[in-house]
Amino acid sequence: MSVADDKTVVRDYFNSTGFDRWRRIYGNGQVNKVQLDIRQGHQQTVDHVINWLTADGNLPGLTICDAGCGVGSLSIPLAEAGAVVYGSDISEKMVQEAYERAKNRLNVIQKVSFMAQDLETLQGRYHTVICLDVLIHYPQEQIAEMIAHLCSLAESRVILSFAPKTLALSILKKIGELFPGPSKTTRAYQHREADIVKIFSDNGFSIQRQAMIGTRFYFSRLIEATRS
């Protein structure tokens, strides 16, 4: 499947059935046990990133691109902490939801902007570029170009999360595919950490901090890469 076909699948999913599903998962309302587990795992990833940036002590005024911002789970708290955040997402509905959530948070809307835009068409320069839980929607042959583009936008660093490809998680994924239902999402791609690290190295970035977030149904490898 081509890049254009993959993007169409992802855009259509998050503008239709996927939007309502993930808006609930990333909200505070009642969800099923699997969705609750995913909500908690995603929040742990967001919290990890915020803790990293807060620990650096220079978050106020920092320019940040949140590529694949979803409903603003990361963009909004970063703006509340004083960062200047540009959030983008392939889904128009997700971007509108993020904007509505930002409007309901005091003093945030002046610090954050949202736009429906493909990752590959993002432009500008930002101190930090962040891309969480996006690569899971794209196969291995497409991610080198995607990560390279994120690196081209970053003055200092890129923070990226992906579903790690291990034997145990591959088996778990196969089992999960046998049970279609309300927790089903688009195709989920896993990626080898060594491949991700090499792509960063090829673009002049070296790994600084890493974390592994895992719950029963959510697994995410978090990497911070800075310009060498």
Side-chain angles (χ1 to χ4, degrees):
M1 183 173 287
S2 69
V3 176
D5 290 337
D6 273 304
K7 288 197 297 185
T8 299
V9 169
V10 174
R11 182 186 294 108
D12 290 349
Y13 172 75
F14 282 105
N15 276 327
S16 55
T17 58
F19 170 68
D20 289 331
R21 182 175 302 157
W22 289 97
R23 179 177 59 174
R24 291 196 303 273
I25 290 175
Y26 294 153
N28 298 312
Q30 186 174 359
V31 290
N32 65 41
K33 291 182 179 180
V34 173
Q35 292 171 333
L36 178 61
D37 184 86
I38 294 171
R39 174 191 291 174
Q40 293 169 342
H42 176 75
Q43 187 60 49
Q44 289 178 34
T45 298
V46 169
D47 290 343
H48 244 93
V49 172
I50 294 173
N51 289 340
W52 279 355
L53 300 186
T54 302
D56 291 342
N58 63 343
L59 189 51
L62 210 67
T63 56
I64 297 176
C65 174
D66 184 7
C69 65
V71 298
S73 302
L74 177 65
S75 292
I76 293 171
L78 288 180
E80 286 182 319
V84 179
V85 184
Y86 174 87
S88 68
D89 198 275
I90 197 171
S91 164
E92 294 87 352
K93 283 193 173 183
M94 284 289 187
V95 166
Q96 182 59 38
E97 177 70 15
Y99 178 73
E100 293 299 325
R101 292 189 183 193
K103 284 199 306 183
N104 293 327
R105 303 277 281 268
L106 184 64
N107 296 329
V108 170
I109 201 64
Q110 294 82 11
K111 291 281 189 178
V112 63
S113 60
F114 296 105
M115 180 174 291
Q117 194 171 3
D118 294 344
L119 183 151
E120 293 90 342
T121 63
L122 289 175
Q123 297 180 343
R125 295 284 286 176
Y126 310 88
H127 178 278
T128 298
V129 175
I130 304 174
C131 186
L132 302 183
D133 295 349
V134 171
L135 295 189
I136 195 170
H137 302 296
Y138 296 94
Q140 183 69 29
E141 59 267 22
Q142 295 180 15
I143 64 170
E145 184 176 352
M146 297 173 73
I147 294 175
H149 184 62
L150 294 174
C151 289
S152 74
L153 304 174
E155 296 174 348
S156 179
R157 67 181 162 195
V158 176
I159 298 176
L160 184 74
S161 75
F162 58 95
K165 188 175 183 61
T166 66
L167 178 59
L169 294 183
S170 296
I171 293 172
L172 183 62
K173 179 177 178 290
K174 288 294 185 182
I175 294 173
E177 290 171 349
L178 299 176
F179 301 94
S183 300
K184 203 76 169 175
T185 182
T186 60
R187 289 159 299 174
Y189 296 99
Q190 298 168 292
H191 301 290
R192 292 180 293 272
E193 182 171 348
D195 294 334
I196 302 290
V197 172
K198 184 178 185 306
I199 293 169
F200 273 124
S201 178
D202 290 344
N203 285 277
F205 282 70
S206 57
I207 308 303
Q208 297 301 318
R209 290 180 284 200
Q210 304 178 56
M212 180 67 200
I213 294 89
T215 62
R216 292 183 64 190
F217 301 101
Y218 176 96
F219 299 91
S220 180
R221 187 66 169 162
L222 187 63
I223 288 180
E224 176 193 57
T226 59
R227 285 198 176 276
S228 303

